[in-house]
Amino acid sequence: MSVYEKAKEAFDNRKLNIERENLQRKEKIYRQIPEIRIIDQKIKNIGFDAVNKVFDNIDTSKDEEKINVLIKRKEEYLVTNGYPKDYLKKRYYHNLCKDTGYVNGKICSCLNQLIIEERYNMSNLKNVLRRENFNTFNKNLYSKNRYKNYDESPYDNISDILIEAKEYISHFSKVSNGNIYIFGDVGRGKTFLINSIAKELMDSNYSVIYWTAPKLFSFMQDYYYSFAEGKEKLKEKYDSLFKTDLLIVDDLGAENIRGDLDISNFFEIINDRMINGKAMIFSSNHNLDEFREIYGDRILSRLLGTFKLWEIYGEDLRLK
């Protein structure tokens, strides 16, 4: 089931709940104030007659007057019995689109929000993004002093990267080279930065899937070694690796590589996404020489050819 289908299912369930509440409210009033049931039936009958008159080009102004009188009488019954006069007015979850999900032929904000929430659910990032996003990213944790043999201070470096990251997000749909390799020692904020980018893109209605490298490689092993029935259960998750707008693989190099098949499977994902113009962000504690030792020249060549390289350096932020 696609993201839209899942969101639409949640939307339809919500709509049914509202309609059920409307019906329960009406049935309650019919039991307590039976006169209102009679009035509603009269309004319905007059309405049917008026519709027929319209087709025959007969004036319906008197019918409208009768309906207005009956509506006022119904409101008086409601108020007399302690209810607001609009108690039986049909309620909607979202008045703007009247729970249709569309406004002027475009997806309404209420349905769009469900789509975004479903993207969050599928991303594996729903909970962590409440804590880790650009609003909570504190670049002041990075030192303004020169670090080792680098030309820029850690603070200036991360400031430049943040500018590039926000540029990347704002032009995501037009990015021709939408792949990024973020590397640096443990505790330098790589994952925090990745999560911040992911949140912005999902809030802009792009699909994002996040995997840690150990979980991704374990999943790929499970998929390829499964029988047909097992593959069918995993297929939707497997397909998302190729179809999602942005695939994030965090902590490359921490996985357990069992052999050439794992490298081949990883190459297949990278190559297929490159061919189809699908963006990727990878992070690792390993520099390019170390990357080559783990994944080989073939994957490294893809990395050097199509990925922007962002190195984050400085002191271990977790110690701060």
Side-chain angles (χ1 to χ4, degrees):
M1 189 180 292
S2 69
V3 167
Y4 175 81
E5 289 170 337
K6 289 181 179 179
K8 190 63 167 62
E9 182 179 60
F11 179 88
D12 291 340
N13 288 335
R14 189 171 68 185
K15 182 177 178 181
L16 285 173
N17 288 335
I18 293 293
E19 291 174 348
R20 191 178 297 115
E21 290 174 10
N22 286 330
L23 181 59
Q24 289 171 348
R25 208 164 30 247
K26 181 184 287 188
E27 290 174 345
K28 173 185 173 183
I29 292 300
Y30 282 178
R31 288 193 304 269
Q32 294 182 3
I33 315 172
E35 292 87 353
I36 288 183
R37 182 196 293 273
I38 297 170
I39 290 174
D40 278 347
Q41 188 59 51
K42 288 181 178 179
I43 291 173
K44 187 176 181 180
N45 292 338
I46 294 171
F48 280 142
D49 290 341
V51 168
N52 292 329
K53 288 178 181 178
V54 168
F55 284 120
D56 294 332
N57 292 320
I58 300 173
D59 180 48
T60 60
S61 57
K62 290 186 178 179
D63 295 300
E64 293 170 14
E65 290 176 8
K66 290 178 184 179
I67 289 174
N68 288 333
V69 169
L70 290 170
I71 289 173
K72 287 182 180 179
R73 191 180 303 168
K74 182 166 71 170
E75 291 173 349
E76 290 170 0
Y77 273 117
L78 287 169
V79 172
T80 300
N81 285 272
Y83 293 96
K85 67 178 183 179
D86 64 347
Y87 185 77
L88 289 178
K89 184 178 179 180
K90 186 174 182 180
R91 285 164 170 74
Y92 300 99
Y93 184 89
H94 194 220
N95 287 322
L96 180 63
C97 69
K98 298 291 189 291
D99 291 351
T100 62
Y102 292 86
V103 177
N104 298 325
K106 297 181 179 179
I107 292 179
C108 181
S109 58
C110 64
L111 176 55
N112 194 56
Q113 184 59 37
L114 287 175
I115 293 172
I116 291 173
E117 288 175 10
E118 191 55 46
R119 293 198 190 284
Y120 269 72
N121 291 333
M122 294 184 67
S123 71
N124 304 319
L125 287 169
K126 183 175 183 180
N127 295 323
V128 73
L129 295 189
R130 295 170 185 163
R131 304 187 307 272
E132 299 185 6
N133 53 70
F134 282 122
N135 290 330
T136 58
F137 194 105
N138 184 8
K139 67 179 183 179
N140 291 314
L141 291 173
Y142 294 83
S143 173
K144 295 183 181 180
N145 299 320
R146 185 171 176 176
Y147 183 76
K148 295 184 177 179
N149 60 342
Y150 290 94
D151 294 332
E152 278 191 318
S153 70
Y155 177 87
D156 290 336
N157 178 60
I158 196 64
S159 298
D160 291 343
I161 287 174
L162 287 173
I163 291 171
E164 284 194 62
K166 291 177 181 179
E167 185 77 9
Y168 174 83
I169 292 162
S170 64
H171 295 89
F172 185 77
S173 64
K174 302 173 184 176
V175 170
S176 58
N177 184 10
N179 305 318
I180 303 170
Y181 181 69
I182 306 173
F183 65 101
D185 291 336
V186 174
R188 270 56 180 181
K190 300 184 296 295
T191 301
F192 204 117
L193 176 61
I194 283 172
N195 291 341
S196 300
I197 294 171
K199 183 180 188 307
E200 293 296 317
L201 290 175
M202 281 190 286
D203 287 348
S204 298
N205 218 3
Y206 291 104
S207 58
V208 178
I209 298 293
Y210 171 96
W211 287 87
T212 62
K215 288 186 176 179
L216 173 62
F217 278 74
S218 177
F219 169 78
M220 293 295 285
Q221 289 163 3
D222 289 344
Y223 182 81
Y224 277 97
Y225 288 114
S226 292
F227 293 109
E229 184 178 349
K231 273 189 170 64
E232 188 61 33
K233 291 179 180 178
L234 300 173
K235 192 172 188 310
E236 182 178 355
K237 189 177 287 189
Y238 173 77
D239 288 344
S240 71
L241 293 172
F242 301 91
K243 294 179 180 178
T244 187
D245 294 323
L246 173 64
L247 172 66
I248 294 172
V249 184
D250 196 11
D251 207 14
L252 275 171
E255 69 279 0
N256 177 26
I257 296 178
R258 298 181 185 177
D260 291 342
L261 180 60
D262 286 343
I263 300 296
S264 178
N265 291 340
F266 187 41
F267 178 83
E268 180 187 351
I269 293 171
I270 295 173
N271 199 52
D272 188 277
R273 291 187 64 83
M274 286 175 54
I275 290 170
N276 291 291
K278 298 290 187 179
M280 294 168 276
I281 296 180
F282 298 158
S283 85
S284 178
N285 300 332
H286 298 287
N287 61 34
L288 296 181
D289 289 335
E290 294 164 338
F291 186 94
R292 176 191 282 112
E293 290 181 12
I294 299 170
Y295 302 103
D297 289 328
R298 188 167 65 152
I299 293 182
L300 179 66
S301 68
R302 291 291 190 274
L303 205 70
L304 294 174
T306 62
F307 280 69
K308 294 180 180 179
L309 305 179
W310 294 351
E311 182 179 8
I312 302 179
Y313 52 82
E315 299 170 353
D316 189 337
L317 301 182
R318 295 175 302 182
L319 299 178
K320 295 188 174 184

